[in-house]
Amino acid sequence: MSSILIIVFLPLLAAIVAGLGNRALGNTVSKSITTGALFISCALSWPIFLGFVAGSAEATVVPVLQWVQSGDLSFDWALRVDTLTAIMLVVITTVSALVHLYSWGYMEEDPDQPRFFAYLSLFTFAMLMLVTADNLVQMFFGWEGVGLASYLLIGFWFRKPSANAAAIKAFVVNRVGDLGFMLGIFGTFLVFGTVSIPEILEAAPSMSGATIGFLGYRMQTMDILCILLFIGAMGKSAQLGLHTWLPDAMEGPTPVSALIHAATMVTAGVFMVCRLSPMFETAPVALGFVTFIGAATCLFAATVGTTQWDIKRVIAYSTCSQLGYMFFAAGVGAYGAAMFHLFTHAFFKALLFLGAGSVIHSMHHEQDMRYYGGLRKKIPLTFFAMLAGTLAITGVGIYWLHAGFAGFHSKDAILEVAFARGTELSQFAFWVGCFAALLTSFYSWRLMFLTFWGKPRWIESEHIQHSVHKTPAEAGEDTTGGYHPHESPLSMLVPLGILSIGAVFAGFVFNPQFLDSAEFWAGSIYYNENLIHAMHAVPLWVKLSATIVMLLGVLIAWMAYIRDTSIPGKFVEQFRNLHNFVYNKWYFDELYNLVFVRPAFWLGRKFWKIGDEGIIDRFGPNGAAWLVSKGTVAAQKVQSGYLYSYALVMLLGLVAAVTWVLM
């Protein structure tokens, strides 16, 4: 399959050309090369995916080169293409191609466009390497590659201190998770004697019940390995505990948020768990851990999303919450449902991020929703695109017609399968998921109502007033402050239109393949047919629960932000402590600052002042310099310039030498 080589390596070639050519090529040429390369990769990816949908394609491995041969450790660089890979190929290349096109308009005024587009293409290559990996080392190469590209893209505006801080935070937090991932890979090689994914998955069932020494105790081998691997997923996919980098990553340009933090990089952890699903199925404790962390993240992020004012941060916490759904679906054994939600989520979350970018672009880069209002008549195309994304993420649909927006099919399936699993943890996940669905509906429609309904509040934004060089006093009776929002250029609207189609139809069209077809998956994940049958047999109230809480969330948001806008203020006044707790993100950042950051800086200062300056520099280079300096002072006294002084020294030296010989 030569096409898979083109799909994977063409973005890398484009990144190299645009990155090295940079301003010598110019903005237009750099953008054309990288965008064209991604659309070619996208065009080649869809036939592969549709071939698996139709049942006409077969899994294959395309060798690239012999990579490592060292004792018992031997593996090649090869590209695995199966159903799971094909799904990720269309998600990555489609979203990346549309983000490249969208960035033509959004980054039009940026002076460093070639560098930006080169970083985008580099990220896409690394992500494609991750999902086509045939062994764990190759997966780790892609894993670290997307981490590097994420760091570069988050800190793209490097002259902005907050962007640099966010990039460093993302890099450091992900290193914590990656340590667990590396230990998991080392342990897997120790146990199985190979890093080949097919060989590991084939041998995994035979290791069920085996124990291994870990931290001085005997523990279940597979549980330890899978928990360590999942810790890597927690960092990359921003799960509770290692989630703090994701909201801060909004400091990067909005297209970066859509590409990395909505549809692709943050789903790498979900992909990894599903790829290794036969391995996780032998580790019940690890699956319980995955379920709990996923459900807890789902709840945490949904609560925080209800209080944020930055439009991008609301969507960022929404991403964190939806990733929690995917993980607890995998934790209860419904890997197909987890991948289905990953697939649909890529369309509607990328749509919401890019739609938010269109709003920000129209509002002179103002991101605070308190300064929006009444925009549906000013930017109608953006409004309808975000409306489609909101209907998709909240799961609007009609059960009896089996028809609805994308999230209706995928998120509802996750709740049903969690209930059908029947364990205590799965029941916990079901109820938490229902409550999170209510909060999702509330904060999604809160965003829509604050942005597109109500009176225009642009005159109150100092940022917009400064941008249009007109103060409120100069505006007089003009309630818009002399500024009129404008629709985005065509290069930004076309991606919104295409993603809207995915948000509307992706769930309905591909529901049977993802959920009910073992032939579609063809062994690429662990598929539990009994669980799927149980999912379809749950009571009617379970099937309707997501729709009921969705409608309740819409109603609450409408009452609070349309009917009586004084309700939010009254609620905050009544429950100030609760609001402060949620608004400050459960104080995770403050806790980490107290427990980890301050002690690390204190220890660093001690090593610097006492160890480096007080010991190493003092007795090393500074000490040697001091000794030479003092020696020169002494030598100066000897070098008097008088002949009799030199004769005296020579005589004394001769006497001392003779005395030493005689003695």
Side-chain angles (χ1 to χ4, degrees):
M1 295 179 67
S2 59
S3 61
I4 189 64
L5 295 174
I6 298 174
I7 291 170
V8 173
F9 290 105
L10 193 57
L12 174 62
L13 179 61
I16 293 173
V17 172
L20 296 181
N22 208 296
R23 296 183 183 179
L25 292 176
N27 292 340
T28 303
V29 175
S30 298
K31 293 189 293 186
S32 299
I33 291 173
T34 53
T35 306
L38 263 299
F39 271 96
I40 292 172
S41 292
C42 179
L44 294 174
S45 297
W46 274 97
I48 296 175
F49 171 67
L50 295 177
F52 282 102
V53 171
S56 59
E58 294 183 356
T60 184
V61 176
V62 180
V64 178
L65 53 84
Q66 190 177 25
W67 199 2
V68 172
Q69 182 72 49
S70 177
D72 295 334
L73 181 62
S74 175
F75 53 87
D76 296 336
W77 193 347
L79 307 178
R80 170 166 292 276
V81 182
D82 55 15
T83 305
L84 191 62
T85 303
I87 293 169
M88 296 303 295
L89 287 180
V90 296
V91 167
I92 295 166
T93 58
T94 301
V95 174
S96 184
L98 294 175
V99 166
H100 274 72
L101 177 59
Y102 180 93
S103 300
W104 279 59
Y106 193 87
M107 303 295 290
E108 184 179 7
E109 298 177 1
D110 197 282
D112 294 318
Q113 293 178 57
R115 178 167 61 91
F116 179 77
F117 280 84
Y119 287 170
L120 285 183
S121 295
L122 176 65
F123 167 82
T124 306
F125 162 73
M127 193 68 199
L128 291 171
M129 283 303 309
L130 191 158
V131 301
T132 56
D134 191 46
N135 59 74
L136 291 177
V137 178
Q138 187 179 330
M139 182 182 287
F140 187 71
F141 170 81
W143 195 271
E144 293 303 297
V146 295
L148 168 64
S150 174
Y151 169 80
L152 295 173
L153 285 166
I154 295 170
F156 175 75
W157 288 322
F158 56 86
R159 295 179 181 86
K160 186 179 177 183
S162 58
N164 286 327
I168 293 172
K169 186 176 183 180
F171 197 81
V172 171
V173 172
N174 272 276
R175 296 293 70 73
V176 176
D178 291 350
L179 174 62
F181 192 43
M182 285 190 290
L183 292 175
I185 294 174
F186 297 154
T188 301
F189 177 71
L190 176 67
V191 170
F192 294 97
T194 180
V195 292
S196 171
I197 292 175
E199 294 178 15
I200 292 170
L201 299 184
E202 183 180 358
S206 64
M207 293 302 298
S208 181
T211 60
I212 190 173
F214 185 73
L215 299 178
Y217 298 93
R218 299 299 298 181
M219 298 183 180
Q220 294 289 323
T221 301
M222 298 307 296
D223 283 325
I224 292 299
L225 295 181
C226 290
I227 288 175
L228 288 173
L229 292 170
F230 177 66
I231 289 173
M234 288 176 63
K236 199 64 71 185
S237 296
Q239 293 300 283
L240 189 65
L242 297 178
H243 67 279
T244 54
W245 67 271
L246 183 63
D248 288 13
M250 297 302 106
E251 291 293 337
T254 299
V256 173
S257 303
L259 178 62
I260 295 181
H261 311 116
T264 51
M265 190 189 84
V266 291
T267 61
V270 180
F271 165 81
M272 185 267 289
V273 171
C274 292
R275 170 63 82 197
L276 303 179
S277 53
M279 188 175 173
F280 275 81
E281 280 297 310
T282 65
V285 174
L287 282 179
F289 183 64
V290 173
T291 304
F292 177 78
I293 292 296
T297 305
C298 186
L299 175 64
F300 157 77
T303 59
V304 177
T306 61
T307 62
Q308 301 301 301
W309 294 111
D310 186 312
I311 187 171
K312 287 175 63 177
R313 285 181 180 265
V314 173
I315 303 174
Y317 279 108
S318 172
T319 298
C320 197
S321 181
Q322 298 303 308
L323 289 166
Y325 277 104
M326 300 175 206
F327 274 113
F328 80 67
V332 301
Y335 304 99
M339 288 303 301
F340 189 28
H341 196 50
L342 184 155
F343 181 77
T344 61
H345 176 264
F347 291 104
F348 61 70
K349 188 51 64 66
L351 173 61
L352 286 171
F353 261 119
L354 295 184
S358 183
V359 173
I360 294 168
H361 182 268
S362 74
M363 297 297 291
H364 268 293
H365 299 281
E366 174 62 74
Q367 297 182 195
D368 194 324
M369 296 185 296
R370 286 173 290 189
Y371 302 124
Y372 290 170
L375 289 177
R376 71 184 187 279
K377 296 179 181 178
K378 299 291 184 180
I379 47 175
L381 297 179
T382 299
F383 163 70
F384 283 114
M386 290 203 70
L387 180 62
T390 302
L391 294 171
I393 192 175
T394 55
V396 174
I398 302 175
Y399 167 72
W400 290 275
L401 297 179
H402 300 288
F405 291 81
F408 168 76
H409 295 276
S410 58
K411 186 165 66 176
D412 288 23
I414 289 176
L415 294 177
E416 291 169 19
V417 79
F419 183 88
R421 185 67 179 183
T423 65
E424 291 183 1
L425 269 176
S426 70
Q427 293 292 309
F428 166 75
F430 167 75
W431 289 109
V432 167
C434 286
F435 183 61
L438 186 152
L439 296 179
T440 300
S441 179
F442 171 77
Y443 66 65
S444 297
W445 286 104
R446 170 180 177 262
L447 183 153
M448 292 295 292
F449 292 148
L450 283 171
T451 303
F452 295 105
W453 274 270
K455 66 178 183 178
R457 300 180 295 277
W458 319 320
I459 193 173
E460 301 169 14
S461 171
E462 294 182 4
H463 176 80
I464 292 178
Q465 295 303 328
H466 176 74
S467 299
V468 299
H469 306 289
K470 191 171 186 180
T471 65
E474 294 169 339
E477 298 298 324
D478 187 354
T479 58
T480 65
Y483 175 71
H484 298 280
H486 54 86
E487 191 61 273
S488 298
L490 196 61
S491 62
M492 296 172 65
L493 294 177
V494 169
L496 293 181
I498 297 173
L499 290 170
S500 297
I501 296 173
V504 174
F505 296 109
F508 175 75
V509 172
F510 297 106
N511 189 319
Q513 285 77 22
F514 278 87
L515 295 180
D516 299 320
S517 176
E519 292 78 13
F520 169 71
W521 292 108
S524 61
I525 63 170
Y526 178 84
Y527 185 81
N528 190 335
E529 289 194 33
N530 294 330
L531 182 60
I532 298 301
H533 291 321
M535 178 189 76
H536 291 307
V538 296
L540 180 61
W541 69 267
V542 175
K543 295 178 182 292
L544 296 177
S545 58
T547 300
I548 294 171
V549 296
M550 177 272 295
L551 293 174
L552 185 58
V554 175
L555 178 62
I556 295 173
W558 177 80
M559 291 182 64
Y561 294 97
I562 297 295
R563 185 171 181 268
D564 185 359
T565 56
S566 66
I567 291 178
K570 294 176 181 177
F571 179 88
V572 171
E573 189 65 30
Q574 184 71 24
F575 301 98
R576 183 163 297 279
N577 291 334
L578 174 63
H579 176 267
N580 289 339
F581 177 73
V582 175
Y583 180 75
N584 288 286
K585 301 158 287 190
W586 293 24
Y587 293 105
F588 268 100
D589 284 299
E590 290 77 5
L591 178 64
Y592 286 178
N593 186 57
L594 179 65
V595 176
F596 299 114
V597 178
R598 288 186 182 178
F601 274 99
W602 176 85
L603 187 63
R605 281 192 295 269
K606 293 299 180 183
F607 277 120
W608 170 30
K609 292 296 185 181
I610 298 176
D612 194 5
E613 293 184 348
I615 298 176
I616 296 175
D617 283 352
R618 181 180 181 186
F619 296 104
N622 291 347
W626 177 86
L627 187 62
V628 170
S629 176
K630 295 299 181 183
T632 57
V633 172
Q636 284 177 349
K637 296 179 179 178
V638 176
Q639 300 290 334
S640 64
Y642 294 108
L643 184 62
Y644 59 79
S645 296
Y646 298 153
L648 177 62
V649 172
M650 292 174 63
L651 179 63
L652 292 174
L654 181 62
V655 171
V658 171
T659 303
W660 182 79
V661 171
L662 293 177
M663 293 296 292

